[in-house]
Amino acid sequence: MSDSSAIRIVHPSQFDKGTLQTPGSERQAAIAPQLGVQSTMWGGLFEVKPGARTGIHHHGVQQTIAYVLSGVCEVRWGLNGEFAASAEAGDFIHVPAFLLHMEINPSSSRPFRWVVVRSTSTPILVNLPEDTWRSFSDTGNVAAG
């Protein structure tokens, strides 16, 4: 039996924090080439600490599906960050390719954690300048993380 037809189990102690990052969050790769898993997709964990938010970013041609494991998050998106929705444990989130977005943790005491699957095996991450959404940045109502 070849390696490509074997089931791989990747334990949390093997997750790779060396994947691409956005300020204010931490991503850990679990299903990725650097872990010896050959797949057409990427999978891992995503966490935002209490009271923090990510920078504005997008994932290029990648589509993203996330499952909220714990906590509550606000997701903002659009050319000016004009759209927002909340998600909580048990919800799924779909982020289309090239969509500018950021994640915000409104809790002062609990992180939020997602399981994330992306449509390509190699992460794509484009972090944008903080003033990309000038009107949102100027409100000052969310602590930078």
Side-chain angles (χ1 to χ4, degrees):
M1 181 179 290
S2 73
D3 234 11
S4 65
S5 62
I7 290 177
R8 289 287 310 273
I9 307 295
V10 182
H11 302 285
S13 63
Q14 298 170 299
F15 294 174
D16 182 7
K17 293 181 182 179
T19 191
L20 297 173
Q21 301 291 336
T22 297
S25 64
E26 179 181 274
R27 291 183 182 90
Q28 297 181 42
I31 305 299
Q34 71 267 28
L35 294 167
V37 180
Q38 299 309 310
S39 174
T40 59
M41 299 179 295
W42 182 95
L45 292 178
F46 175 72
E47 181 175 306
V48 174
K49 302 283 186 217
R53 65 177 170 90
T54 69
I56 302 160
H57 62 283
H58 69 80
H59 301 282
V61 298
Q62 288 182 316
Q63 291 193 50
T64 300
I65 295 173
Y67 176 78
V68 183
L69 278 177
S70 61
V72 175
C73 62
E74 179 180 331
V75 182
R76 297 194 66 87
W77 71 93
L79 290 177
N80 297 298
E82 65 271 29
F83 303 105
S86 290
E88 60 187 40
D91 291 340
F92 275 91
I93 300 166
H94 175 255
V95 181
F98 295 103
L99 183 69
L100 302 182
H101 63 284
M102 75 170 5
E103 296 87 8
I104 303 162
N105 187 343
S107 173
S108 60
S109 61
R110 293 184 56 202
F112 73 74
R113 296 184 75 187
W114 297 356
V115 172
V116 176
V117 177
R118 299 200 196 285
S119 61
T120 68
S121 64
T122 304
I124 298 170
L125 178 60
V126 179
N127 290 313
L128 299 168
E130 194 64 29
D131 65 355
T132 299
W133 292 344
R134 195 171 311 278
S135 61
F136 180 77
S137 298
D138 290 345
T139 63
N141 59 1
V142 178

